[in-house]
């Protein structure tokens, strides 16, 4: 599904040049659940942004489903993104002015799904994350765990092939965190590829494979399923 | 998609109530001003267009030229032979109609008597040129001598509910006219409003004018003459043939000049009369295209200020919406979709504003009618040429105001906004500053214009005119007084409140339009090349108006020769070539056909409004045999004007029991000359207040926002020992700097605009420099108070609170 090779990303300010990704290469196959770990500033988030087509690399190759996307323009990236990728963030990132239902509905609106179909699919996915009863509430009225479940619902409502999760449990207590991890695992078992950035060894254990990064490079790759 | 856009737009509106209020309020006021002014402009532009043949009707006007070729007088009226001769000589002229205004004329039916000011002699062709509607009777009766047509209102006034047909009304207690019909009054957007039409054929009677005079008098240019020409007629070519036409018919001047050398004829399109014609004689006071431009600019200014508020507050607020934008981008929104979303927000708010503006428009319309002196109604807006642009306004304004914030926000990088790394860049702040500068520059320009207009008006009202205009009562001359004037004058002088009484062909506050040929008389008679205006006055003219003499004396009965004496003003004496006023005294002089002696030179005084320069003037004495009088002027004591009026009225009643008594005060007549400027001032004052108010509301929102952004900085500074004053200063300084820049931008613009405006006055103030300082300081104060109050509130907060909130 994803194949990156010799990916580079450098952040420049007037005085300092920070190498975020240093000739990084790896591959994620269809249906895999990969965790990316490493200390702060090792380039995890940069990697996730590039994988999510939110940012473009300075050099290197990024094949998404066999297509070179490293130098797609913004419009093409947005198009590819809305049909193929779902995001889950540490800080949930729900829109405060929209209800639970409307937040989840948003990706479907942008992909042009008809209203009746939207309603059906949003209700299905809200059911799946067990938040149907709060469909008309606003994000501020929900607990952290509930908000993250809504965020997961929003990420999967378009049935993306890939979910990118950026410390999905970082703002949650352990029981809520476990619930969210279970949700991701279920999705993965249904065939969705997941790449998750995390600090938590506990969460990483849900994945098939852990990529450890340091200074923009991979240092080790553990295969969980073999542990 | 649109539903989603509108939904979030509505929720955002509700969430940021204060900012929404400022936007909605500003745009509503801006749109209301625009709609109000649009109504006014539509009304002004609609003049005379109600005529079916409006585009084919032309007014014949006549100018007179000095020997140097300068136009000294341009009249909207021409001599009586011209109309019929034009119809005769130019076969393409389809119809021709002539009207003669009566000025003020007393009219009577039984015990009902009024001084009428809109009586006209008109011929039966009137309705073939203009669109008129008869209620009863036939317009053709204007072909019969001594018949009259009345408007419905006039018929009601004189005859109440009785049938007016075939009743006799009496003009100037001399001639009877038979009422032969009722017609619908000319609409308010007509350039003239005759409400009593007397048959033109009556003028053939020699007591009124005389048939011969109608055919041969080329010097009495007081006849309005209109032509109906074929569609798309080459008017310029017709005008080119006018000099030959004049030479063929009009007599040569007294000096033997060809008529085409001293006078010219023009064709003026009917529909251009109201806004662009400011000739020396007009049927009524016209509007002014410049006023239309000025008001349009003001309306657009106010709308622009409101739009700038929207742009400023939206971009400022965008930092709060950065996260939302990021999320939308992440879940697949394209830039186009985000643009559409933000534009639909601004269009929504504009729609709401438009609806509110329509309500305000309804409430504001009567008031605007009053201050603009026009008859306005919402009905004028109900035609597609107006409705379509009005309905498009929310889209245009919405896009105008919304595009910048939309582009600005849609360009946010999702990665940064979601990481909370987002800060409004320095570039955005500088553009916002430009907008604030623009707003304040507009406000400062409006303050300056208001103050300059005010100063000029005050100057005109306070300026010494060179004579005493106070405590002078004026009464229209009535032919019925006849040779009883001296007796009546003596009776008036018996009253203790009355100091002096005079009568004249024109009195100050009127125009000076009469002139004749002048010549110095020495060894030979040498013509003077000068437009010397004359006023026929009696011996009491000078003391009644308190005019002072530069040399010589007033007319006096003590000198038997004074019936051929002249008095000139200083300008005339100087232009004739007498070095000092004293040199003029005793000079022999020929004016018209009279040869006489200059006995006095008056100090110059402003006979006309201060728009006009003082003209050379000659007073021609009257022994009372000829009666070209127009008004009687009565100087009263200052004690009680009510008593004086009562005494004048009782004397009037004694001599003229059947004639209506009307009066006004000379200073009021002068004041009325500046009515247009006063209206302009009211509108300037009002709209500049509105502009400043909206601009300061915007500043309030913007500064509130800026201060919230800097709340942590304020906390840190306080912890480090800053006092409230220094923090207020720090926060206000930035905005004051913008006001200063705005002043620098506004000053030259305002100076130029007001310089141009002042050129319309022959007597005007110098550009008052202090007005610029007042405007700058005022704008600065408004900014300081707006920002300062909030800054003080923020600065007095407990710093612990603001630091914890981070």
């Amino acid at each position: 599904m994803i194949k990156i090779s010799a990916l580079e990303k450098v952040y420049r300010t007037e005085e300092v040049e920070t190498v975020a990704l240093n000739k990084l290469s790896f591959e994620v196959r269809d249906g895999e659940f990969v965790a990316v770990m490493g200390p702060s500033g090792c380039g995890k988030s940069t990697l996730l942004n590039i994988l999510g087509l939110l940012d473009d690399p300075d050099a290197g190759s990024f094949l998404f489903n066999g297509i070179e996307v490293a130098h797609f323009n913004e419009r093409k990236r947005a198009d590819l993104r809305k049909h193929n990728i779902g995001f889950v963030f540490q800080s949930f990132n729900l829109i405060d002015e929209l209800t639970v239902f409307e937040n989840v509905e948003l990706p479907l609106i942008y992909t042009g799904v008809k209203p009746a179909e939207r309603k059906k699919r949003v209700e299905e996915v809200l059911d799946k994350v067990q938040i149907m009863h709060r469909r008309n509430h606003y994000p501020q009225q929900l607990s952290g765990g509930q908000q993250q479940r809504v965020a997961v619902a929003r990420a999967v409502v378009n049935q993306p092939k890939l979910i990118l999760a950026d410390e999905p449990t970082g703002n949650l207590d352990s029981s809520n965190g476990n619930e969210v991890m279970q949700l991701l695992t279920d999705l993965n078992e249904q065939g969705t590829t997941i790449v998750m950035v995390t600090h938590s060894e506990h969460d990483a254990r849900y994945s098939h494979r852990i990529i450890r990064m340091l200074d923009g490079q991979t240092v080790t790759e553990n295969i969980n399923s073999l542990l | 998609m649109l539903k989603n856009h509108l939904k979030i737009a509505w929720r955002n509106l509700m969430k940021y109530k204060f900012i929404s209020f400022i936007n909605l309020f500003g745009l509503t006021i801006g749109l209301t001003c625009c709609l109000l002014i649009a109504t006014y402009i539509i009304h002004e532009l609609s003049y005379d267009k109600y005529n079916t043949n409006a585009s084919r009707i032309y007014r014949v006007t006549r100018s007179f030229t000095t020997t140097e070729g300068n136009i000294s007088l341009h009249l909207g009226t021409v001599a009586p032979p011209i109309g019929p001769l034009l119809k005769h000589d130019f076969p393409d002229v389809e119809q021709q109609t002539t009207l003669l205004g009566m000025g003020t004329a007393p009219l009577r039916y039984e015990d009902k008597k009024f001084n009428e000011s809109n009586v006209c002699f008109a011929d039966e062709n009137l309705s073939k040129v203009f669109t008129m509607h008869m209620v009863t009777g036939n317009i053709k009766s204007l072909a019969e001598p001594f018949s009259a047509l009345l408007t419905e209102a006039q018929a009601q006034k004189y005859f109440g509910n009785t049938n007016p047909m075939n009743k006799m009304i009496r003009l100037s207690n001399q001639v009877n006219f038979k009422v032969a019909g009722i017609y619908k009054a000319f609409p308010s957007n007509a350039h003239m409003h005759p409400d009593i039409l007397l048959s033109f054929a009556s003028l053939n009677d020699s007591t009124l004018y005389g048939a011969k005079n109608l055919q041969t008098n080329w010097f009495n240019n007081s006849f309005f003459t209109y032509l109906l020409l074929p569609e798309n007629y080459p008017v310029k070519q017709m005008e080119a043939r006018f000099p030959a036409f004049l030479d063929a018919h009009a007599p040569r001047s007294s000096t033997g000049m060809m008529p085409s050398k001293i006078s010219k004829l023009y064709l003026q399109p009917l529909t251009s009369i109201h806004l662009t014609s400011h000739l020396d004689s007009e049927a009524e006071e016209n509007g002014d295209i410049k006023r239309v431009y000025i008001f349009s600019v003001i309306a657009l200014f106010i709308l622009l200020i409101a739009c700038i508020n929207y742009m400023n507050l939206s971009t400022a607020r965008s930092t709060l919406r950065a996260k939302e934008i990021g999320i939308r981008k992440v879940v697949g929104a394209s830039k186009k979709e985000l643009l559409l979303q933000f534009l639909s927000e601004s269009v929504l708010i504009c729609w709401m504003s438009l609806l509110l503006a329509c309500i305000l428009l309804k409430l504001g319309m009567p008031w605007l009618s009053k201050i603009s002196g026009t008859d306005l109604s919402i009905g004028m807006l109900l035609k597609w040429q107006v409705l379509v642009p009005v309905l498009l306004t929310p889209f245009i304004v919405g896009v105008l105001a919304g595009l910048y914030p939309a582009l600005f926000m849609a360009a946010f990088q999702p990665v940064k906004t979601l990481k909370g790394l987002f800060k409004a860049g320095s570039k955005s702040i500088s553009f916002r500053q430009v907008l604030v500068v623009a707003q304040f520059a507009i406000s400062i320009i409006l303050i300056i214009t208001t103050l300059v207009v005010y100063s000029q008006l005050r100057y005109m009202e306070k300026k010494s005119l060179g004579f005493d205009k106070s405590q002078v009562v004026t009464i229209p001359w009535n032919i019925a007084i006849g040779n009883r004037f001296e007796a009546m004058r003596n009776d008036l002088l018996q009253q203790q409140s009355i100091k002096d009484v005079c009568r004249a062909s024109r009195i100050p506050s009127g125009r000076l339009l009469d002139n004749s040929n002048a010549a110095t008389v020495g060894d030979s008679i040498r013509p003077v090349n000068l437009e010397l205006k004359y006023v026929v006055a009696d011996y009491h003219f000078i003391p009644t108006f308190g005019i002072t003499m530069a040399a010589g004396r007033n007319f006096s009965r003590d000198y038997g020769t004074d019936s051929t004496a002249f008095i000139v003003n200083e300008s005339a004496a100087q232009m004739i070539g007498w070095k000092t006023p004293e040199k003029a005294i005793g000079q022999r002089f020929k004016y018209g056909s009279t040869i006489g002696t200059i006995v006095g030179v008056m100090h110059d005084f402003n006979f006309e409004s201060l728009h006009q320069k003082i003209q050379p003037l000659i007073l021609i004495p009257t022994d009372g045999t000829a009666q070209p009088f127009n008004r009687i002027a009565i100087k009263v004591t200052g004690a009680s004007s009510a008593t004086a009026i009562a005494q004048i009225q009782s004397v009037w009643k004694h001599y003229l029991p059947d004639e209506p008594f009307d009066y006004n005060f000379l200073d009021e007549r002068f004041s009325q000359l500046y009515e247009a400027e006063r209206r302009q001032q009211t509108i300037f004052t009002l709209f500049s207040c509105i502009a400043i108010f909206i601009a300061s509301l915007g500043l309030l929102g913007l500064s509130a926002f800026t201060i919230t952004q800097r709340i942590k900085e304020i906390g840190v500074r306080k912890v480090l020992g800053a006092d409230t004053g220094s923090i207020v200063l720090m926060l206000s300084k930035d905005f004051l700097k913008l006001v200063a820049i705005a002043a620098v931008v506004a000053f030259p613009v305002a100076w130029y605009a007001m310089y141009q405006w002042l050129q319309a006055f022959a007597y005007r103030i110098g550009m008052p420099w202090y007005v610029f300082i007042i405007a700058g300081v005022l704008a600065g104060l408004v900014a300081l108070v707006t920002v300062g109050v909030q800054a003080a509130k923020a600065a007095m907060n407990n710093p612990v609170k603001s630091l914890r909130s981070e």
Side-chain angles (χ1 to χ4, degrees):
Chain A
M1 161 149 282
I2 291 171
K3 182 166 195 226
I4 58 173
S5 33
L7 212 56
E8 284 182 44
K9 182 76 185 175
V10 181
Y11 291 111
R12 290 183 184 86
T13 63
E14 276 163 33
E15 286 145 20
V16 200
E17 206 170 81
T18 318
V19 180
L21 298 180
N22 188 1
K23 296 196 185 334
L24 183 70
S25 305
F26 66 80
E27 198 175 339
V28 178
R29 286 181 300 274
D30 275 1
E32 250 195 314
F33 186 163
V34 176
V36 179
M37 298 191 74
S40 292
C42 71
K44 305 187 298 285
S45 293
T46 305
L47 173 66
L48 209 62
N49 288 337
I50 291 176
L51 292 182
L53 299 165
L54 294 172
D55 209 349
D56 50 358
D58 294 329
S61 154
F62 175 12
L63 293 179
F64 189 90
N65 274 338
I67 304 162
E68 179 57 68
V69 297
H71 299 293
F72 266 26
N73 65 24
E74 191 180 328
R75 199 182 51 77
K76 276 171 129 177
R77 287 206 306 243
D79 206 45
L80 193 65
R81 187 164 64 221
K82 69 183 171 190
H83 289 109
N84 295 292
I85 305 173
F87 289 85
V88 178
F89 299 93
Q90 176 179 358
S91 50
F92 325 134
N93 278 339
L94 299 174
I95 297 179
D96 295 338
E97 290 77 27
L98 297 181
T99 61
V100 165
F101 183 93
E102 289 160 351
N103 262 293
V104 177
E105 187 189 22
L106 208 53
L108 297 177
I109 292 177
Y110 287 124
T111 43
V113 178
K114 296 266 172 300
E117 171 73 6
R118 288 210 297 263
K119 184 163 183 289
K120 191 174 131 253
R121 275 163 68 176
V122 172
E123 281 172 356
E124 259 171 37
V125 72
L126 285 179
D127 228 15
K128 196 152 47 172
V129 300
Q130 295 167 16
I131 202 93
M132 193 57 190
H133 57 296
R134 322 243 20 197
R135 50 176 289 171
N136 289 325
H137 287 73
Y138 287 90
Q140 308 92 293
Q141 298 168 309
L142 305 182
S143 72
Q146 287 171 322
Q147 286 191 47
Q148 195 60 305
R149 295 216 304 266
V150 176
V152 172
R154 189 181 62 189
V156 300
V157 70
N158 236 347
Q159 294 155 346
K161 298 185 182 70
L162 172 66
I163 286 183
L164 298 172
D166 191 355
E167 300 194 36
T169 62
N171 281 0
L172 301 176
D173 61 37
S174 61
S175 81
N176 273 319
N178 286 339
E179 264 182 52
V180 168
M181 285 316 299
Q182 194 52 53
L183 258 174
L184 290 177
T185 312
D186 293 348
L187 286 168
N188 178 245
E189 280 166 8
Q190 288 155 30
T192 311
T193 311
I194 296 179
V195 176
M196 174 181 74
V197 165
T198 184
H199 276 123
S200 154
E201 292 287 351
H202 169 264
D203 288 355
R205 246 173 260 139
Y206 285 89
S207 69
H208 303 155
R209 184 154 65 104
I210 300 175
I211 298 175
R212 292 186 191 274
M213 286 179 68
L214 189 65
D215 294 341
Q217 288 175 299
T218 50
V219 280
T220 54
E221 289 194 28
N222 312 24
I223 311 293
N224 274 344
S225 50
L226 298 182
L227 286 178
Chain B
M1 184 75 82
L2 187 68
K3 199 178 127 212
N4 182 272
H5 288 342
L6 292 178
K7 189 161 61 188
I8 198 138
W10 175 253
R11 287 183 194 158
N12 261 309
L13 217 66
M14 289 296 114
K15 184 166 173 189
Y16 303 103
K17 285 199 179 67
F18 180 57
I19 284 180
S20 302
F21 167 76
I22 293 176
N23 281 334
L24 196 62
F25 182 84
L27 286 170
T28 302
I29 299 289
L31 284 173
T32 309
C33 292
C34 277
L35 286 175
L36 279 171
I37 289 176
T39 319
Y40 165 77
I41 291 171
I42 287 165
H43 176 75
E44 289 292 289
L45 293 176
S46 75
Y47 266 72
D48 294 308
K49 294 200 176 133
Y50 70 90
N51 286 293
T52 321
N53 296 322
S55 64
R56 300 200 283 135
I57 304 174
Y58 289 82
R59 184 167 76 172
V60 185
T61 69
R62 186 176 189 187
S63 74
F64 293 86
T65 328
T66 61
T67 36
E68 289 95 41
N70 298 324
I71 290 178
S72 62
L73 190 69
H74 191 165
L75 300 171
T77 42
V78 297
I82 289 178
L85 285 172
L86 282 173
K87 175 101 166 65
H88 177 266
D89 285 16
F90 295 85
D92 288 341
V93 174
E94 291 180 11
Q95 295 293 342
Q96 181 277 132
T97 188
T98 308
L99 290 100
L100 174 65
M102 283 283 289
T104 306
L107 206 66
R108 199 177 118 195
Y109 171 73
E110 293 179 346
D111 59 334
K112 304 258 182 60
K113 46 200 176 197
F114 300 97
N115 277 323
E116 293 297 346
S117 50
N118 283 316
V119 182
C120 269
F121 285 97
D123 58 41
E124 67 278 17
N125 293 331
L126 188 66
S127 70
K128 294 182 186 148
V129 177
F130 295 97
T131 302
M132 283 180 71
H133 302 284
M134 296 301 293
V135 180
T136 47
N138 194 318
I139 186 92
K140 289 213 174 71
S141 47
L142 284 179
E144 288 153 30
F146 302 107
S147 60
L149 303 181
L150 274 62
T151 59
E152 292 161 293
Q154 287 289 21
Q156 177 70 29
K157 190 167 95 184
Y158 283 94
F159 303 101
N161 295 325
T162 62
N163 181 7
M165 293 296 278
N166 298 323
K167 299 255 167 60
M168 292 299 213
I169 50 174
R170 191 164 174 80
L171 176 72
S172 302
N173 211 9
Q174 279 188 318
V175 200
N176 286 329
F177 288 84
K178 186 171 80 180
V179 177
I182 312 288
Y183 65 98
K184 282 220 179 302
F186 285 42
S188 72
N189 58 350
H191 76 288
M192 59 173 173
H193 297 91
D195 52 16
I196 294 172
L197 295 172
L198 306 177
S199 59
F200 201 83
S202 327
L203 291 174
N204 286 318
D205 191 288
S206 58
T207 53
L208 283 172
Y209 198 80
K212 184 152 185 291
N213 241 342
L214 281 179
Q215 285 155 25
T216 59
N217 191 341
W218 284 81
F219 299 103
N220 180 2
N221 291 283
S222 27
F223 291 76
F224 287 106
T225 302
Y226 300 87
L227 305 181
L228 181 66
L229 299 176
E231 204 82 55
N232 300 320
Y233 193 68
V235 171
K236 287 285 157 221
Q237 289 175 24
M238 185 167 170
E239 278 183 326
R241 292 170 60 197
F242 283 168
F245 168 84
L246 274 176
D247 290 341
H249 298 287
R252 291 181 176 226
S253 77
S254 58
T255 52
M257 302 261 280
M258 292 298 281
S260 62
K261 290 280 174 271
I262 53 164
S263 141
K264 274 185 167 171
L265 295 179
Y266 309 83
L267 291 174
Q268 189 178 37
L270 175 72
T271 49
S272 78
I273 292 177
H274 177 69
L275 284 178
T276 59
S277 176
H278 300 99
L279 303 183
D280 291 309
S281 64
E282 294 282 356
E284 288 173 13
E285 195 199 345
N286 283 332
D288 190 346
I289 190 82
K290 270 187 274 172
R291 218 177 304 154
V292 169
Y293 292 146
I294 290 174
F295 288 171
S296 318
V297 168
I298 293 179
L300 289 179
F301 268 1
I302 291 181
L303 191 59
L304 188 63
I305 287 183
C307 286
I308 289 178
N309 273 354
Y310 186 89
M311 291 192 241
N312 262 341
L313 295 175
S314 302
T315 45
R317 196 184 53 182
S318 63
T319 44
L320 300 178
R321 297 185 66 177
K323 192 182 102 178
E324 177 201 330
I325 296 159
I327 298 167
R328 282 178 183 274
K329 282 199 155 186
V330 166
V331 299
S334 67
K335 204 166 161 179
K336 198 179 92 195
E337 281 159 332
L338 285 173
L339 266 179
L340 270 177
Q341 181 193 338
F342 295 125
L343 286 180
S344 56
E345 279 178 31
S346 56
V347 170
L348 174 75
I349 209 166
C350 286
W351 262 111
M352 293 170 65
S353 302
L354 182 68
L355 291 179
L356 290 173
C358 286
I359 298 172
L360 288 183
L361 180 70
K362 180 106 181 70
L363 299 175
M365 195 65 86
W367 162 85
L368 184 73
S369 290
K370 199 169 142 231
I371 61 165
S372 67
T374 43
D375 186 10
L376 303 177
S377 76
I378 285 201
M380 289 174 191
L381 298 175
L382 300 179
K383 43 184 167 187
W384 68 267
Q385 296 97 321
V386 181
L387 283 180
V388 170
V390 166
L391 293 179
L392 284 177
T393 307
F395 296 100
I396 296 164
V397 175
V399 170
L400 184 76
L403 193 61
Y404 171 67
L407 282 171
F408 176 74
M409 290 191 273
F412 285 172
Q413 289 292 320
V415 176
K416 286 183 187 153
T417 58
L418 294 181
K419 286 286 169 196
L421 291 172
F422 180 79
K423 270 196 198 115
S426 60
K427 208 171 121 214
S428 76
I429 286 175
S430 74
F431 185 68
R432 222 180 295 158
Q433 285 170 338
V434 170
L435 292 177
V436 172
V437 166
Q439 270 186 324
F440 269 88
I442 294 173
S443 303
I444 291 172
I445 291 172
L446 288 175
I447 298 177
I448 293 174
T449 50
T450 307
L451 292 175
V452 172
V453 173
Y454 173 80
S455 310
Q456 172 67 16
L457 261 180
R458 210 180 136 73
Y459 166 80
M460 290 193 291
E461 269 158 15
K462 297 276 176 243
K463 183 183 184 300
S464 163
L465 298 176
F467 71 97
D468 188 2
K469 67 176 177 189
S470 64
Q471 309 296 340
V472 178
V473 179
T474 82
I475 309 172
W477 174 254
N478 191 308
I479 296 176
I481 303 173
N483 50 21
R484 290 180 296 166
F485 179 75
E486 282 306 320
M488 184 170 151
R489 178 170 184 273
N490 285 331
D491 279 1
L492 281 169
L493 288 173
Q494 297 300 311
Q495 313 294 327
Q496 52 176 199
S497 65
I498 292 171
K499 285 193 191 158
D500 215 334
V501 182
C502 76
R503 55 182 168 163
S505 60
R506 292 177 186 272
I507 60 162
S509 75
R511 292 297 311 273
L512 286 170
L513 296 176
D514 316 314
N515 69 298
S516 190
N517 297 311
T520 52
V521 182
D523 300 335
S524 61
I525 292 178
R526 190 166 301 158
V528 175
N529 180 22
L530 180 66
E531 285 285 330
L532 185 55
K533 307 289 181 188
Y534 73 83
V535 169
V536 178
D538 68 10
Y539 290 14
H540 312 287
F541 183 85
I542 286 178
T544 303
F545 290 106
I547 297 163
T548 54
M549 302 303 290
R553 58 171 176 83
N554 185 11
F555 302 122
S556 165
R557 285 182 211 290
D558 302 343
Y559 299 82
T561 54
D562 267 8
S563 60
T564 55
F566 296 120
I567 291 175
V568 294
N569 65 358
E570 285 172 301
S571 294
Q574 198 195 3
M575 288 158 113
I576 291 166
W578 296 312
K579 295 246 158 48
T580 63
E582 288 74 17
K583 290 249 165 66
I585 306 302
Q587 298 280 355
R588 299 287 286 160
F589 197 67
K590 183 181 180 203
Y591 194 75
S593 55
T594 313
I595 296 182
T597 310
I598 307 284
V599 297
V601 177
M602 303 176 281
H603 280 124
D604 274 346
F605 64 96
N606 290 93
F607 196 101
E608 301 173 276
S609 89
L610 293 172
H611 294 97
Q612 319 289 335
K613 273 205 142 34
I614 290 178
Q615 305 237 43
L617 174 68
I618 187 164
L619 294 188
I620 303 175
T622 172
D623 51 8
T625 45
Q627 299 196 339
F629 300 115
N630 179 273
R631 286 191 99 78
I632 300 170
I634 302 168
K635 176 80 179 176
V636 301
T637 58
S640 160
S641 47
T643 318
I645 298 294
Q647 290 173 347
I648 295 168
Q649 189 169 13
S650 77
V651 173
W652 180 274
K653 280 267 169 294
H654 178 253
Y655 282 87
L656 303 160
D658 291 333
E659 297 300 320
F661 175 74
D662 275 342
Y663 70 93
N664 54 29
F665 283 92
L666 187 63
D667 47 5
E668 285 168 7
R669 287 170 66 89
F670 266 99
S671 188
Q672 272 162 19
L673 298 177
Y674 312 122
E675 195 52 40
E677 283 78 16
R678 243 192 311 280
R679 282 192 192 130
Q680 228 171 51
Q681 193 211 349
T682 315
I683 291 178
F684 269 141
T685 312
L686 181 88
F687 286 139
S688 39
C689 288
I690 290 177
I692 293 166
F693 184 60
I694 300 179
S696 56
L697 264 185
L699 192 66
L700 188 75
L702 194 60
S703 56
F705 185 80
T706 317
I707 288 167
T708 333
Q709 297 282 84
R710 293 174 74 173
I711 205 82
K712 186 179 164 198
E713 177 195 341
I714 295 168
V716 172
R717 280 174 188 270
K718 278 195 83 170
V719 169
L720 296 178
D723 59 25
T724 307
S726 71
I727 287 173
V728 171
L729 187 69
M730 173 191 83
L731 292 170
S732 310
K733 212 171 54 190
D734 292 346
F735 286 103
L736 284 180
K737 237 186 305 182
L738 298 183
V739 174
I741 298 170
V744 171
V745 174
F747 285 175
V749 178
W751 186 90
Y752 179 76
M754 289 331 281
Y755 179 80
Q756 294 299 327
W757 184 80
L758 284 172
Q759 296 310 305
F761 300 90
Y763 297 89
R764 53 185 177 254
I765 48 171
M767 190 66 75
W769 55 269
Y770 55 87
V771 158
F772 291 76
I773 296 183
I774 294 174
V777 169
L778 201 64
L781 272 179
V782 168
L784 191 65
V785 170
T786 314
V787 180
V789 168
Q790 295 180 84
K793 232 165 58 186
M796 284 184 295
N797 259 345
N798 186 348
V800 177
K801 250 189 187 161
S802 59
L803 291 180
R804 205 189 291 142
S805 76
E806 256 302 296

